[in-house]
Amino acid sequence: MEIVTTKNAVGMALGHDITRIVPGEFKGPLFKKGHIITEEDVPKLLDVGKEHIYVWNLKDGFVHEDEAAKRIAHAVVGSNIELTDVVEGKVEFVAACDGLLKINRELLSTVNNMQDIAVATLHGNHTVTKGKKLGGTRIIPLVIREEPLANLEAVCSQPIIEIIPFKKWKVGLIVTGSEVYAGRIEDGFGPVIEKKMAALNGTIIAKTFVPDSIDVTAEKILEMKAAGAEMIILTGGMSVDPDDLTPASIRKSGAETLVYGVPVLPGAMFMLAYLGDIPVMGLPGCVMYHRASIFDLVVPRIMAGEKLEKKDFFELAYGGFCLRCPECTYPDCSFGKR
């Protein structure tokens, strides 16, 4: 970079973006890299404190921040991620579709340990919608040597950030409880699950009500399987009260329990079992009452095609306490973050 007095820079090209900041109103480029300075530009540059202008004279073996940001972005992003144009040396990552955000945290740490490279992301394992900003990248100086960029590109044989679209699941829904089965109270749980599943690309192919009976409920689970359900969800009856029989019903169906009881609040009484390859879930009542619960931390991952293990549930403990804010902002909050 060659430094030129601003008043003598008329007719020269900027070597980098010039930022203008108006507190509380605006932050962005006053002039973009490559802009040819005019007489009218001089007072504007002086107003933002630029008494000197940097003119670019790039040497062999060095890469400008704009080109470096593009190369890093292309190296670290995977499927279903769009890139913004370079602004002030930075490229941002944007969701190209709805789905589950996945972050390779180990690889993210590796590339940020490389000198003068910065890549930042949101937390992974959460549902994102099309158009949401997910992260960004830039280099720290205005230029960077070719070597660290080439090293980064070699290291990123797999993406750091990607979106996994939700698969189309055929879901069987079993609403438990003698009071609902007998029509004494209206079903409030089923509509909540139907709405949540629709948002995750799931289709309820069958919905049924059962009384508090282990045998009847187990039989309905098997009927759902025979009807083609790829996932079976049971609502309620998950506590330790004598008439809460859903866990026993799931076991009676022949499903093998992976977890019953998880370190998440709300959602501690959640159950996940497998009837062959079919996930069978028992949802505690909190899923009906709370906008964010164990459902939102676990079910999207299953619907994105993940086969969860016990350790995945143990890891939910860190960040697994919901503050139950008066105005819920999940997933833009601490719940489920680690």
Side-chain angles (χ1 to χ4, degrees):
M1 301 290 285
E2 296 179 2
I3 301 175
V4 179
T5 302
T6 299
K7 293 180 180 179
N8 297 329
V10 175
M12 298 182 180
L14 281 172
H16 60 93
D17 291 351
I18 299 293
T19 301
R20 176 174 176 260
I21 301 175
V22 179
E25 296 182 18
F26 176 82
K27 180 182 182 296
L30 175 62
F31 297 112
K32 299 277 290 182
K33 177 180 71 75
H35 175 76
I36 304 301
I37 304 299
T38 67
E39 290 282 359
E40 292 76 16
D41 296 334
V42 172
K44 297 177 183 178
L45 290 165
L46 294 175
D47 286 345
V48 296
K50 298 299 180 181
E51 295 185 357
H52 297 83
I53 295 298
Y54 288 87
V55 180
W56 193 242
N57 182 15
L58 194 62
K59 297 179 181 179
D60 290 341
F62 286 84
V63 180
H64 185 269
E65 61 174 351
D66 287 2
E67 180 61 26
K70 292 178 185 178
R71 286 178 57 178
I72 296 169
H74 284 290
V76 303
V77 303
S79 56
N80 301 307
I81 306 287
E82 295 177 343
L83 303 177
T84 64
D85 293 333
V86 184
V87 177
E88 298 178 295
K90 178 177 65 177
V91 173
E92 293 184 335
F93 316 141
V94 180
C97 69
D98 297 352
L100 184 74
L101 177 63
K102 299 296 294 184
I103 306 293
N104 186 326
R105 295 176 63 188
E106 183 176 351
L107 189 53
L108 178 63
S109 179
T110 296
V111 300
N112 278 297
N113 198 38
M114 297 178 178
Q115 186 175 2
D116 293 333
I117 291 175
V119 181
T121 74
L122 298 182
H123 289 87
N125 285 335
H126 287 276
T127 300
V128 295
T129 55
K130 182 178 180 180
K132 185 177 181 65
K133 289 186 177 182
L134 310 173
T137 185
R138 65 167 303 143
I139 60 172
I140 304 305
L142 286 171
V143 296
I144 190 171
R145 292 184 180 274
E146 169 67 29
E147 183 179 2
L149 286 180
N151 289 341
L152 180 144
E153 289 167 335
V155 165
C156 292
S157 58
Q158 54 183 308
I160 286 178
I161 179 170
E162 61 182 332
I163 294 176
I164 309 300
F166 298 116
K167 298 181 178 180
K168 294 182 178 180
W169 289 78
K170 298 176 182 178
V171 182
L173 178 59
I174 301 175
V175 180
T176 74
S178 293
E179 69 281 13
V180 179
Y181 178 77
R184 298 181 65 87
I185 67 170
E186 185 178 354
D187 170 34
F189 213 146
V192 172
I193 301 307
E194 291 172 30
K195 182 178 179 180
K196 284 180 176 287
M197 295 308 295
L200 298 174
N201 207 22
T203 300
I204 306 294
I205 64 167
K207 176 182 177 181
T208 189
F209 299 89
V210 295
D212 294 317
S213 166
I214 293 175
D215 290 337
V216 172
T217 305
E219 182 181 348
K220 290 298 181 182
I221 293 173
L222 296 176
E223 288 181 5
M224 290 287 187
K225 178 184 178 181
E230 300 166 317
M231 174 186 294
I232 300 171
I233 294 177
L234 294 91
T235 67
M238 293 300 300
S239 77
V240 294
D241 293 343
D243 56 352
D244 285 335
L245 306 176
T246 300
S249 303
I250 293 174
R251 296 189 187 100
K252 181 70 179 289
S253 73
E256 183 176 350
T257 302
L258 178 67
V259 290
Y260 174 38
V262 296
V264 173
L265 297 171
M269 304 307 291
F270 174 82
M271 182 175 189
L272 173 62
Y274 281 91
L275 187 59
D277 293 329
I278 299 174
V280 181
M281 284 174 277
L283 303 182
C286 62
V287 176
M288 174 172 56
Y289 297 112
H290 297 281
R291 179 184 163 187
S293 68
I294 184 65
F295 181 101
D296 306 280
L297 303 188
V298 173
V299 178
R301 295 177 64 178
I302 295 174
M303 298 191 71
E306 289 190 37
K307 187 71 179 285
L308 300 181
E309 302 176 4
K310 282 188 177 181
K311 68 178 182 63
D312 294 310
F313 290 90
F314 300 150
E315 291 172 352
L316 290 176
Y318 184 69
F321 180 74
C322 177
L323 294 174
R324 303 179 189 178
C325 303
E327 183 176 347
C328 180
T329 60
Y330 180 85
D332 298 323
C333 66
S334 64
F335 185 51
K337 306 298 192 299
R338 55 182 297 273

